[in-house]
């Protein structure tokens, strides 16, 4: 007989953390229907992390990335430098308050590990103008990208971590589509979780 109190089987899909770090300006809503379930791309599940102060958020995101089931992080923010969606390919070691370093012992910069070309191609194919840039904007998004990337342990299987910047004039529908397209492109590169 099946025990009705037995633990439900664990979801074995790899997790993609999606964090709109500036909730006032993001336009991203992970739960878009009345089901109460967050949207997820095929083959993966999403974990929404709400915005918070940058230090708390950096710690929370790093803790998620330390978990075995979390295989990707997509930061979502705005850009004032482009009229297109933009994948930021690197982040510099800078404190939020100005020109000093965020980590005195850390590398000068950290590179995003998401499949940049595939995300840009997918966004363009979806009718959303997109490009990639090495220019880091001096804001919370760049700070978080650097902190999470530089805090990863060394190893051959690095999680996919990136920052999707949305143009200021993009409406909520475009934001929703852009985040979904980017997360779906990331999910295609994630390997299934081990059974044990």
């Amino acid at each position: 007989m099946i025990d009705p109190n037995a633990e439900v089987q664990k979801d074995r899909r790899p997790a993609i953390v999606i964090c709109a770090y500036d909730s006032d300006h993001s336009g991203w809503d992970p739960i878009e229907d009345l089901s109460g379930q967050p949207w997820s791309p095929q083959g993966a599940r999403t974990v929404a992390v709400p915005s918070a102060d940058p230090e708390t958020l950096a710690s929370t995101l790093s803790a998620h990335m330390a978990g075995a089931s979390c295989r990707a992080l997509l930061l979502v923010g705005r850009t004032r430098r482009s009229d297109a969606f933009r994948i930021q390919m690197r982040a510099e070691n800078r404190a939020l308050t100005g020109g000093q370093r965020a980590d005195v012992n850390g590398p000068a910069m950290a590179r995003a590990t998401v499949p940049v070309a595939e995300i840009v191609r997918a966004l363009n194919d979806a009718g959303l103008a997109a490009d990639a840039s090495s220019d880091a904007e001096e804001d919370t998004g760049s700070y978080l990208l650097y902190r999470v990337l530089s805090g990863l342990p060394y190893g051959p299987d690095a999680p996919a971590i990136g920052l999707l910047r949305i143009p200021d004039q993009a409406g909520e529908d475009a934001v929703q589509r852009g985040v979904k397209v980017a997360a779906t492109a990331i999910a295609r590169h994630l390997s299934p979780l081990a059974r044990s």
Side-chain angles (χ1 to χ4, degrees):
M1 183 169 163
I2 297 174
D3 179 4
N5 297 322
E7 186 177 325
V8 177
Q9 185 173 359
K10 191 173 181 181
D11 191 338
R12 301 307 308 161
R13 296 175 296 167
I16 301 174
V17 171
I18 300 178
C19 177
Y21 54 85
D22 187 1
S23 63
D24 294 340
H25 299 99
S26 74
W28 164 247
D29 181 9
I31 302 174
E32 58 187 4
D33 59 24
L34 298 176
S35 72
Q37 297 297 315
W39 170 85
S40 292
Q42 185 174 357
R45 63 186 171 86
T46 57
V47 176
V49 172
S51 64
D53 71 89
E55 288 300 324
T56 301
L57 203 48
S59 297
T60 301
L61 295 172
S62 293
H64 275 288
M65 298 316 298
S69 66
C70 190
R71 301 301 308 138
L73 165 63
L74 181 63
L75 294 165
V76 179
R78 293 283 180 163
T79 181
R80 289 161 201 81
R81 295 185 183 173
S82 177
D83 292 334
F85 283 77
R86 175 168 277 183
I87 298 293
Q88 184 171 316
M89 296 191 297
R90 69 180 188 141
E92 297 174 2
N93 185 353
R94 285 200 181 134
L96 273 173
T97 55
Q100 41 190 339
R101 294 169 68 98
D103 180 354
V104 294
N105 297 319
M109 78 171 168
R111 295 199 177 276
T113 55
V114 292
V116 173
E118 186 165 333
I119 295 171
V120 169
R121 189 170 30 256
L123 287 165
N124 284 317
D125 289 349
L128 300 167
D131 60 23
S133 176
S134 289
D135 287 340
E137 297 186 26
E138 294 182 22
D139 66 355
T140 302
S142 293
Y143 175 78
L144 291 172
L145 183 62
Y146 178 84
R147 285 280 309 273
V148 176
L149 285 168
S150 65
L152 290 175
Y154 290 106
D157 193 18
I161 298 173
L163 170 54
L164 174 66
R165 291 193 177 274
I166 298 162
D168 262 346
Q169 71 276 11
E172 284 190 20
D173 288 344
V175 173
Q176 293 287 95
R177 269 194 322 140
V179 173
K180 288 180 177 182
V181 167
T184 301
I186 292 169
R188 284 194 286 266
H189 287 267
L190 301 181
S191 56
L193 297 176
R195 292 225 176 253
S196 58

